[in-house]
Amino acid sequence: MEFLCYHRDRPGSAALRDELLAEHWSYMDRYAAAMIARGPTFVGDTPTGSVHIVDVPDPAAARAFAFEEPNYQAGVYRDVAVRRWHNALGRTMWDFPGGRTGGNRYLVLGLGAGQAIDVAVPSAPDELIAYGPLLSDDGVTWLGTAVLLRAANPDAARAILTADRYADVEVHNWQFGGRPS
């Protein structure tokens, strides 16, 4: 089962995040084979959160992954969202043809309201790094859509989702995560 975990940083926790970087990477290494996508969100150069999309056996394993993470345990994060997700592209971020660098990268979270929308992959997926619906733990109820993509600017990233069909849409600067090469 695929899950999206979005850990939002607690204000003022950047120094603690930096101190725990080696522990964080070591923890994530244990999940390398299960990782679909990962990476930090930013405002300017300041980290604001971390996205991890993992394929784990069940909701309990997803919550264990999210809440046993060293940054969470130490208080770096103010909150964590854990939602079942469906990998509509059927690939990992490392398979993205656009590579790890170049262009602006974004996390777009559309929080659902009403009928499911944007469940199918858009007709021009070339700039999509990861795409799929957010679902209830049982995989039945649509809760929104989560996208990682390359786009010219935040407005262009937001335009990947159908206008006015979501309770809220968040757009975050994002970059490929993992150990530096």
Side-chain angles (χ1 to χ4, degrees):
M1 292 181 179
E2 300 151 336
F3 288 84
L4 179 135
C5 304
Y6 183 38
H7 297 76
R8 295 176 195 265
D9 284 16
R10 185 174 43 83
S13 65
L16 180 56
R17 179 192 259 267
D18 289 345
E19 282 178 39
L20 295 167
L21 192 57
E23 283 182 63
H24 170 78
W25 283 339
S26 179
Y27 182 81
M28 290 301 154
D29 287 347
R30 295 174 22 205
Y31 291 91
M35 201 68 63
I36 295 166
R38 68 181 287 191
T41 57
F42 291 90
V43 170
D45 291 334
T46 303
T48 58
S50 289
V51 176
H52 299 95
I53 303 175
V54 293
D55 189 352
V56 294
D58 54 44
R63 284 188 270 289
F65 166 81
F67 296 117
E68 292 174 9
E69 196 274 340
N71 287 342
Y72 177 81
Q73 291 292 310
V76 170
Y77 304 126
R78 72 172 175 168
D79 60 60
V80 179
V82 179
R83 289 286 180 252
R84 190 151 173 202
W85 183 78
H86 172 69
N87 186 354
L89 296 176
R91 66 176 188 223
T92 72
M93 72 178 199
W94 297 277
D95 300 321
F96 172 58
R100 292 180 59 94
T101 60
N104 302 317
R105 312 296 174 101
Y106 299 95
L107 163 66
V108 180
L109 293 173
L111 306 176
Q115 294 284 49
I117 190 74
D118 299 324
V119 176
V121 175
S123 58
D126 295 347
E127 298 300 311
L128 299 178
I129 299 164
Y131 186 94
L134 297 168
L135 306 164
S136 57
D137 279 356
D138 64 7
V140 174
T141 305
W142 176 83
L143 302 173
T145 306
V147 185
L148 296 171
L149 77 158
R150 182 171 57 188
N153 56 52
D155 289 337
R158 164 59 180 95
I160 194 71
L161 299 181
T162 304
D164 303 323
R165 293 292 303 273
Y166 292 87
D168 190 24
V169 175
E170 301 176 9
V171 178
H172 304 272
N173 293 320
W174 174 82
Q175 71 180 33
F176 272 58
R179 292 181 183 273
S181 301

